[in-house]
Amino acid sequence: MKRNIYILRHGETEYGREKRYIGHTDCRLSVKGINDAKQLACIFMESGVIINSIFSSDLIRCKSTVNIAFPDQKAIFLEELREINMGNLDGLIFGEVKNKYPEVYKKRGENIADFIPLNGESFRECQKRAIKIFNYIIYSTQGNVVICSHAGFIRVLLCSLLNLELNLDNIFNIKQDYGCIN
């Protein structure tokens, strides 16, 4: 039987306009982010698609997106669907890291797939986690599924599903606007 898997990125966050390393930082949706989630609600309502299961990251930006977009449906919130763990870089502005920690900034740029920030995880580790939880969701459900997660998580998952090498170009050429549907 045909089924669809909809992978959503959460709505814009209160840090959404700044170029920041946001991994496990638990930030709220901005006003625009709330509107992003309402737009998702309209898209799914107008499409008439029946969603049988909803899974979401347990971080507030995803929880809020799902609760606004699918207010009458139960969602399962999983830590495994969280964004890449940016460790000690989490919450810092890109320019701040580039100026204060130039070696860290340089090393991450040279090997984006395998660079591990202190107390964090690499994109490759995030990808392994993403594939594992994606497979669990796919094989433990039937019908149409929504998965709400984060840009980095979604990018590494899509790289795997599309058989793309995990490198700087492939990761960041997969556009992931706030509130987008894959």
Side-chain angles (χ1 to χ4, degrees), residues 26-78:
D26 210 6
C27 52
R28 300 189 181 288
L29 294 179
S30 66
V31 171
K32 184 187 177 306
I34 293 168
N35 288 329
D36 293 337
K38 288 177 181 177
Q39 182 63 33
L40 286 169
C42 289
I43 290 169
F44 279 97
M45 190 175 70
E46 289 173 5
S47 73
V49 172
I50 294 170
I51 300 300
N52 303 95
S53 302
I54 300 172
F55 294 85
S56 172
S57 161
D58 65 342
L59 296 176
I60 194 70
R61 56 196 186 264
C62 286
K63 281 182 171 183
S64 296
T65 299
V66 164
N67 288 333
I68 293 167
F70 304 96
D72 299 325
Q73 289 188 257
K74 181 182 179 241
I76 298 170
F77 300 103
L78 301 172

Side-chain angles (χ1 to χ4, degrees), residues 29-167:
L29 294 179
S30 66
V31 171
K32 184 187 177 306
I34 293 168
N35 288 329
D36 293 337
K38 288 177 181 177
Q39 182 63 33
L40 286 169
C42 289
I43 290 169
F44 279 97
M45 190 175 70
E46 289 173 5
S47 73
V49 172
I50 294 170
I51 300 300
N52 303 95
S53 302
I54 300 172
F55 294 85
S56 172
S57 161
D58 65 342
L59 296 176
I60 194 70
R61 56 196 186 264
C62 286
K63 281 182 171 183
S64 296
T65 299
V66 164
N67 288 333
I68 293 167
F70 304 96
D72 299 325
Q73 289 188 257
K74 181 182 179 241
I76 298 170
F77 300 103
L78 301 172
E79 186 176 326
E80 294 89 346
L81 291 171
R82 283 186 179 187
E83 180 63 288
I84 183 173
N85 184 348
M86 294 305 301
N88 289 12
L89 300 179
D90 208 329
L92 300 178
I93 296 171
F94 287 13
E96 182 181 4
V97 173
K98 189 175 183 179
N99 292 329
K100 287 185 179 177
Y101 312 104
E103 271 305 302
V104 169
Y105 188 84
K106 181 180 178 222
K107 285 181 181 179
R108 185 170 187 262
E110 291 172 347
N111 186 5
I112 196 78
D114 295 305
F115 175 80
I116 304 171
L118 187 62
N119 298 314
E121 71 182 331
S122 69
F123 272 106
R124 194 169 313 281
E125 290 169 331
C126 181
Q127 185 180 54
K128 288 177 186 174
R129 174 169 53 88
I131 294 164
K132 183 177 178 180
I133 193 61
F134 181 77
N135 284 331
Y136 167 78
I137 290 169
I138 298 311
Y139 294 113
S140 67
T141 60
Q142 295 180 342
N144 297 324
V145 176
V146 163
I147 299 171
C148 184
S149 192
H150 310 268
F153 179 97
I154 295 169
R155 286 177 171 132
V156 297
L157 177 61
L158 292 177
C159 279
S160 178
L161 296 175
L162 297 169
N163 292 316
L164 297 174
E165 185 179 335
L166 200 58
N167 62 37

